[in-house]
Amino acid sequence: MISVVIPIGATAKRLIPTLASLVPGAAAGVVREVLLVDSAGSADVAEIADAAGCEYLPGFADRGASLREGAAAARASWLLFLEPSGLLQEGWAREVRNFTDQAERIGATEQRAATFRLALDGFGVTPRLREASAMMRQAITGRPRPEQGLLLHRRLYDALGGHMPGPQASRRLMARVGRKRLMLLRSQILLPEDA
């Protein structure tokens, strides 16, 4: 159903919990495959991919090119781009299935994309204030943080030109998706407080 593309940069220390959060989606038949695109060429990432049953792709130094490579290698019609430190929270698989089913049912695969609600890991007021600030920014600009993930159909991805070269490739793709096409799912993605 969906291909999950995760670009790996200099560190993969938070990758294992991210992959663990995808297990409910794989068990429910929502996740068809997970592609780890490794721009650092780390032996650790290759070992993790092998142990977790993911596909390992050596990536490019350019982030945009790596994301484009992951999308090109994906076999599912729906693409989910995630950061290696994002933990999808309970219920995400059911909501993703509902979103993709509805988009296909009403013929809106080229008009709709989705992202997850932001949650920051940590105790106290500071993470909650940063979450509120991010939600306010998204309400005003219509642009979530790229770290919140992006779910879209391959046809929409191709129509938008995919990821362009450069370190801000995810942010620029999110901007091209635009406010009118992007739906905020109820499910959260938990990011480290320093994200």
Side-chain angles (χ1 to χ4, degrees):
M1 175 158 230
I2 69 171
S3 291
V4 181
V5 179
I6 303 175
I8 312 295
T11 181
K13 67 181 182 180
R14 296 181 173 143
L15 178 60
I16 293 172
T18 298
L19 294 176
S21 77
L22 294 172
V23 170
V30 173
V31 175
R32 177 178 181 175
E33 64 184 347
V34 178
L35 300 104
L36 304 181
V37 188
D38 182 17
S39 61
S42 168
D44 291 346
V45 175
E47 288 176 20
I48 291 169
D50 183 51
C54 302
E55 186 171 340
Y56 174 81
L57 300 170
F60 300 96
D62 180 83
R63 182 173 180 83
S66 289
L67 288 162
R68 184 182 286 273
E69 178 187 7
R75 294 179 300 215
S77 55
W78 286 92
L79 305 171
L80 174 58
F81 296 96
L82 286 181
E83 290 298 312
S85 59
L87 301 175
L88 294 174
Q89 300 298 287
E90 186 177 341
W92 74 267
R94 182 179 56 254
E95 193 167 8
V96 164
R97 181 182 295 276
N98 290 342
F99 172 79
T100 57
D101 287 351
Q102 182 180 26
E104 289 175 358
R105 190 172 51 253
I106 66 173
T109 57
E110 292 182 51
Q111 289 92 34
R112 291 283 178 246
T115 189
F116 297 96
R117 290 188 187 277
L118 176 68
L120 294 174
D121 204 2
F123 298 105
V125 175
T126 303
R128 304 302 75 84
L129 290 174
R130 290 186 64 213
E131 288 171 2
S133 173
M135 289 300 288
M136 180 79 76
R137 178 184 175 275
Q138 184 172 344
I140 293 169
T141 67
R143 293 186 189 167
R145 294 170 50 170
E147 297 88 355
Q148 288 175 239
L150 179 62
L151 172 67
L152 74 169
H153 197 278
R154 180 182 299 279
R155 286 194 297 263
L156 178 56
Y157 180 80
D158 291 340
L160 294 171
H163 286 93
M164 298 297 167
Q168 298 296 320
S170 296
R171 188 173 303 280
R172 292 196 326 252
L173 177 60
M174 197 81 80
R176 287 196 313 278
V177 168
R179 167 183 244 154
K180 292 184 180 181
R181 287 190 190 114
L182 195 61
M183 178 180 166
L184 184 63
L185 299 173
R186 289 185 302 270
S187 301
Q188 294 181 325
I189 186 166
L190 184 67
L191 297 171
E193 188 177 358
D194 58 358

